[in-house]
Amino acid sequence: MANDLKTRDARGTDSDILPGTRREQNLAKVQAVPWLIVIALLAAVAFLTYRAFFYQEEGDPVGSAMLAFEKQNSLTVFSSRFEVVAESEDTRGVMGVPVLRSRQATIVPASVEYRLDLSGMERGDFVWDEAGDRLTVTLPQIQTSRPNIDEGAARVFTEGAYITRDAAQDLARNNSQQAERKASAFAKNPEILALARQAARQAVRQNLTIPLQVAGYDNVTVDVRFEGEDAAS
């Protein structure tokens, strides 16, 4: 009886455990299928996003360079801050006799920005030398902004025994206009423009070298020149 009982218990145990195990395994497989589908969909979306927004065809360094410029239509490469001196004189007459003379000198800070307009650049402005891993870029001429005259920080010196209100307004207006003209002329000084061009070359080299290295051109050299110039070394 004891042997029969053990035999039945063993058989009963086998018959109770094995079907339940199979059902759990089947249920795990069924539950895993939706997750596999979700993972596959996420991978497909990630791949399509990469192809649409980040992927670049290998072997097209000009395309990589143009893509780096597409994100910015204008690039500020240099700024200059300086002081200009403006002087004006005014004479007022009484009964036709010039008796009221006044003079005003103004020392005023001014600033000018130097920018590159990249919106008009075309594929022909980029020349790739495959043998030397060298990209030559031709930039448009630098543009200067309108001078920003900081009249709030101006130092004003006035001379005259008696300065009428109208005379004071005329002196201030003349000095303001004169300061803007002088600032514009100073901004186009050849030495200042040379500094701006050098800063532009460095900025463009930095903006293009990194994207090209990411694209696989580790030893690339970027030469930058302006219209009418020889290629810069």
Side-chain angles (χ1 to χ4, degrees), residues 9 19 33 69 82 87 134 150 157 164 178 206 227 229:
D9 289 342
V33 170
F69 276 178
F82 47 89
E87 293 186 52
R134 182 181 298 270
D150 188 3
F157 305 91
T164 66
Q178 186 181 147
Q206 292 175 356
E227 295 176 352
E229 290 182 344

Side-chain angles (χ1 to χ4, degrees), residues 58-94:
E58 295 183 359
D60 186 15
V62 172
S64 299
M66 294 184 68
L67 181 63
F69 276 178
E70 284 180 1
K71 299 178 181 180
Q72 45 191 358
N73 290 332
S74 179
L75 179 64
T76 299
V77 296
F78 189 72
S79 62
S80 177
R81 184 173 175 84
F82 47 89
E83 290 184 337
V84 292
V85 179
E87 293 186 52
S88 298
E89 293 184 356
D90 183 85
T91 301
R92 302 283 162 165
V94 178

Side-chain angles (χ1 to χ4, degrees), residues 168-210:
Q169 291 177 347
D170 288 345
L171 289 170
R173 181 172 56 253
N174 291 338
N175 278 354
S176 179
Q177 295 173 353
Q178 186 181 147
E180 184 170 344
R181 289 194 302 269
K182 287 187 174 183
S184 297
F186 181 84
K188 297 177 182 178
N189 183 293
E191 294 181 359
I192 303 298
L193 284 176
L195 293 175
R197 289 193 183 98
Q198 183 62 26
R201 292 188 180 97
Q202 293 177 356
V204 171
R205 286 193 188 104
Q206 292 175 356
N207 284 0
L208 294 183
T209 299
I210 294 177

Side-chain angles (χ1 to χ4, degrees), residues 126-148:
F126 302 83
V127 178
W128 173 247
D129 177 13
E130 185 174 359
D133 277 353
R134 182 181 298 270
L135 179 68
T136 302
V137 183
T138 302
L139 298 176
Q141 294 298 327
I142 287 181
Q143 299 178 353
T144 57
S145 67
R146 181 176 178 179
N148 180 21

Side-chain angles (χ1 to χ4, degrees), residues 46-67:
F47 175 75
L48 293 175
T49 302
Y50 168 75
R51 292 284 301 188
F53 297 101
F54 302 102
Y55 177 76
Q56 288 290 307
E57 292 290 342
E58 295 183 359
D60 186 15
V62 172
S64 299
M66 294 184 68
L67 181 63

Side-chain angles (χ1 to χ4, degrees), residues 36 52 77 158:
L36 293 175
V77 296
T158 305

